[in-house]
Every structure is written in structure tokens, then in C-alpha cells.
Amino acid sequence: MNSAFVYDHVRTPRGKGREDGALHNITPVHLAAQTLSSLRTLTQLDPAMIGDVGLGIVTPVGEQGCDLTRFALLEAGYGDEAVGYQLNRFCTSGLDTVKFAAGMVSSGQTEAAIGGGVEMMSRVTMGSDGGAAYSDPELRKRYPYIPNGVAADLMATLNGITREEVDAYAVESQARATRARDEGRFYKSILPVEDVDGNVVLDQDEAIRPDTTIEKLANLTPAFEKLGADGYNGILKDVYPDIDAIDHIHTGGNSSGIVDGACAVLVGSENFGKMTELRPRAKIRAATSIASDPHLSLGGVIPVTEKALMQASMTVDDIDLFEVNEAFAVVPLVYARHFNIERGRINANGGSIALGHPLGATGAILLGTLIDELERQDLSIGLVTLCAAAGQSTALIIERV
């Protein structure tokens, strides 16, 4: 098996996922095309060397359907022969496309491939793709689909995490993201997004709320209490009979933000670097996925991390920095507690609570953020992991070159 390396990455700033967000008037295909074009310019890439391109898209309907990746490649000038696919494995999709690119390189199918993602949440509503989990009553009887917010509150209840803890974590995420933005830690990899006239519409992350305080968060109403009362709490209490009640503690302030965004990551073999004279930035040491209890849909980040560490013959102590997607504040809190990791090693520059979670792109964005921060701190080993709906999770371990 060949080794797979990350050669470079780019991302857009994340724009607020609503009609007054700075990226709202950019279509998904054009946002993806700008990202792919930027990666090509940055690396002086010959598209003929790329064996495949995958973009994570969690709501692949309307403007985000019809194998958007193929048309984004054409728009980005990769030529008629550039092949692309889109992937929906919920929130792990962006990291999964990088994992698949690494698999193609490692198996010798190609010298290079691209992974990434795009999600325009201001234009394509989350959940609008439907599916059997929502519409097939017989399937729902056997395998109830638990909304992630309700599952997050279940995770907090099972682990004794309080509202005060998740709010405090959210304030910390906002503070870290604000500091990272103000110190220019993201600028190395951010692509300023342009409109059709060539005017820059956004050049830094838009959703950060630096004025967030514990007092402000404490005034927010739990976002998933009604959903739980509508029947999901009863389902979960049947599965977890030892709990008396589910404590609904997650709000819009301690959950990931709805945003627009895109990214692209170039993966290649050692020989690809020699042919192109590009220097790799990180080696992929492990990449894996798991599925676990679909009722506790966010809990998979722990077993998938254990599986990735085993694959790499490493322990938690070997990892310098972690990126654990902040789908909800409870996830990194439980993760840190389980592995006994000091908080400074997890999400050093904030996470999706502050920066937002463009569903299909987030995993690949977190990988790029991790590489940049390892370089900034002159550290070596990093791990990125995300949970996803229905109990799926992905993890990837990298080593700086």
C-alpha cells in the first residue's frame, strides 16, 4: 500500500446561513467552483493528474443535486475529463471524501485525488431531501430516527452534563474563534469569495459572536424540548429505562451554527509530490468509520477514535491536537472527559458553535484547520473526528511532514 499525503487545502469563509448572509447570493455550484479553482491556482495543479474529486453535500437536492461536483469542476476549468461525485453520509461527508481520496491513492488507483464539500444552508434547507427515515412509517417503527438535538440532550443526561457546562463551553468556543480570527490564524487557507462581477463579498468567517456571555446564553430557551415531548423522549426512555427524564439543555447558543461554506483538500502519493515538486504538509496515518447506537447518534466519536488509534498503533497521549466537531457542546465535553484530554488540546481555535457547521464541508474544513494549527504550534500529530445522524462517525489521524 502507498502512503497518502495531504498536499494542500483551501476553504471559503463561513457565511451566515440565512438570506442576509454574505454568501446567500452565490449558488452552491459557483461556491464549489471558486474553491476548486483556488486549490488549482494555489498548487499549480494539472487536472489531468487527478483521478477523482468528491464533495460532501448533505442535502443533495435542488441546486445541490445532480452530481454538483462534476459541474463545479467544469466551471472551475478542470476540463472535460475531470470526474467528480457527491457524497451524503450526513455530517461526516466532507471528511469521508478525503478518506476515500486517500484510499484511492493508497491502493494505487491514482496518484492524486481531491476531497472536500459544499453546503449552502441559506439556499437549500436542511432536511429538505426527505427520505425513508422521515416518511416510511413501518421503517420508523423498527428504527426510529432521533433528531440530533434530542440525541444531544440524551447524551448530556446519560453523562451528567449540565446546562451551565454546555453554556460555558460555548462561550469558550466563541472566545477561541474570535482570537483565531483576530490573530489571522485562518487567513492562510481562506479563499475570499467573489460575486459574479468579481467583487469580494466575504473574506472572513461571518458567524462568530464575540459578545457571547454566560448570562446571555442562560436566557435562551432549550431548542429541542418540544421535539422530545412530541414523542422522542418516550422512545428514548424505552431504550434507556434507567433515566427518569431527559434534561433538555441545548439551545441555539450552545449548538452548531447554520452557515454556508465550501472547501477542497488535495491528497496525493509520494510519487505525486516528486512529479509536481509539491511538498506534502501531512501524512495520513489512519482513516476509519464506524456505526453505533442510532438512538445515541452522537456517541460514535469515542469508539471511532479508539478504532483509529488502534489502526495507527497510537494512544491518546500520542495526539498533540484534536478537532472534535462541535455539533453540540456536549460532544467535545464528553469526549474530553472520556479520554482525559485537557481542553487546550481540543478545538484550539473554536469550532462549529462559533464558526458554524456547513454540513457537507465541515469535516474537510476541520482537517485543514488542524493542519494549519499543528504547523503554527510546531506540533506533529493530530486527530479529527465527527459524529453524524443515525449513529455514524468518522476519524482521521495525520502526522505533519
Side-chain angles (χ1 to χ4, degrees):
M1 298 289 285
N2 300 320
S3 294
F5 298 86
V6 176
Y7 278 86
D8 224 327
H9 67 94
V10 295
R11 73 168 177 93
T12 70
R14 280 161 277 196
K16 295 177 182 177
R18 56 196 194 206
E19 290 188 2
D20 63 349
L23 299 182
H24 174 68
N25 290 324
I26 312 294
T27 64
V29 71
H30 284 104
L31 193 69
Q34 287 190 51
T35 310
L36 291 165
S37 178
S38 177
L39 181 67
R40 182 184 174 197
T41 299
L42 177 68
T43 59
Q44 295 297 297
L45 183 63
D46 178 2
M49 300 187 72
I50 303 299
D52 209 348
V53 179
L55 295 179
I57 302 174
V58 171
T59 313
V61 295
E63 294 181 327
Q64 292 184 168
C66 195
D67 192 3
L68 179 149
T69 309
R70 167 61 170 164
F71 298 97
L73 286 164
L74 292 170
E75 182 72 12
Y78 277 60
D80 293 348
E81 297 180 0
V83 294
Y85 68 93
Q86 63 186 57
L87 174 72
N88 175 18
R89 192 187 275 166
F90 303 120
C91 299
T92 69
S93 302
L95 192 61
D96 282 329
T97 62
V98 177
K99 183 183 73 174
F100 295 160
M104 291 187 68
V105 169
S106 296
S107 62
Q109 295 179 65
T110 184
E111 296 290 352
I114 295 173
V118 61
E119 204 82 36
M120 293 294 297
M121 301 180 77
S122 71
R123 298 177 67 98
V124 184
T125 304
M126 179 170 55
S128 59
D129 52 333
Y134 305 108
S135 61
D136 184 335
E138 291 303 316
L139 183 72
R140 293 187 68 177
K141 286 179 184 177
R142 295 193 298 275
Y143 310 106
Y145 179 88
I146 306 300
N148 281 349
V150 178
D153 291 335
L154 170 66
M155 189 176 187
T157 301
L158 292 172
N159 288 276
I161 301 293
T162 67
R163 170 69 182 269
E164 291 73 23
E165 288 178 283
V166 291
D167 281 352
Y169 182 90
V171 171
E172 184 178 317
S173 180
Q174 295 285 352
R176 289 184 177 191
T178 299
R179 181 183 64 230
R181 181 189 63 186
D182 294 348
E183 292 181 0
R185 297 184 190 180
F186 299 137
Y187 285 135
K188 182 177 183 179
S189 303
I190 280 186
L191 150 74
V193 177
E194 298 178 353
D195 63 17
V196 293
D197 297 317
N199 302 309
V200 173
V201 295
L202 189 64
D203 63 0
Q204 64 179 3
D205 295 300
E206 185 181 29
I208 303 172
R209 299 183 296 275
D211 60 345
T212 300
T213 64
I214 289 285
E215 292 74 22
K216 289 180 180 179
L217 293 183
N219 290 325
L220 298 178
T221 302
F224 308 103
E225 190 167 28
K226 184 178 185 304
L227 264 179
D230 285 344
Y232 291 108
N233 286 354
I235 293 171
L236 293 175
K237 287 177 71 176
D238 287 341
V239 178
Y240 295 91
D242 292 339
I243 60 175
D244 295 326
I246 294 173
D247 188 10
H248 292 283
I249 63 173
H250 285 92
T251 69
N254 55 41
S255 307
S256 56
I258 293 174
V259 293
D260 300 328
C263 63
V265 179
L266 175 61
V267 178
S269 65
E270 184 176 6
N271 188 50
F272 172 76
K274 293 176 181 177
M275 290 188 294
T276 59
E277 298 184 350
L278 289 172
R279 183 171 182 268
R281 296 177 63 184
K283 180 180 180 179
I284 296 176
R285 293 287 304 273
T288 191
S289 298
I290 64 130
S292 56
D293 180 5
H295 297 91
L296 186 62
S297 59
L298 312 180
V301 290
I302 291 172
V304 81
T305 292
E306 293 169 340
K307 185 178 177 182
L309 290 169
M310 184 179 299
Q311 189 182 96
S313 299
M314 292 181 177
T315 70
V316 167
D317 292 337
D318 294 317
I319 308 298
D320 295 309
L321 294 176
F322 297 81
E323 286 290 329
V324 181
N325 188 37
E326 295 174 0
F328 302 88
V330 68
V331 178
L333 282 171
V334 170
Y335 189 93
R337 178 189 293 179
H338 178 86
F339 290 112
N340 193 28
I341 303 168
E342 56 270 28
R343 291 268 282 276
R345 292 165 62 197
I346 299 179
N347 302 348
N349 293 319
S352 294
I353 291 172
L355 294 156
H357 180 16
L359 304 176
T362 302
I365 290 175
L366 293 183
L367 174 61
T369 299
L370 181 61
I371 292 172
D372 289 352
E373 187 61 17
L374 286 170
E375 291 175 349
R376 191 188 74 83
Q377 293 193 37
D378 194 21
L379 298 173
S380 180
I381 308 291
L383 184 150
V384 55
T385 184
L386 301 91
C387 56
Q392 302 177 99
S393 292
T394 293
L396 191 146
I397 297 174
I398 57 169
E399 179 179 4
R400 273 185 61 207
V401 176

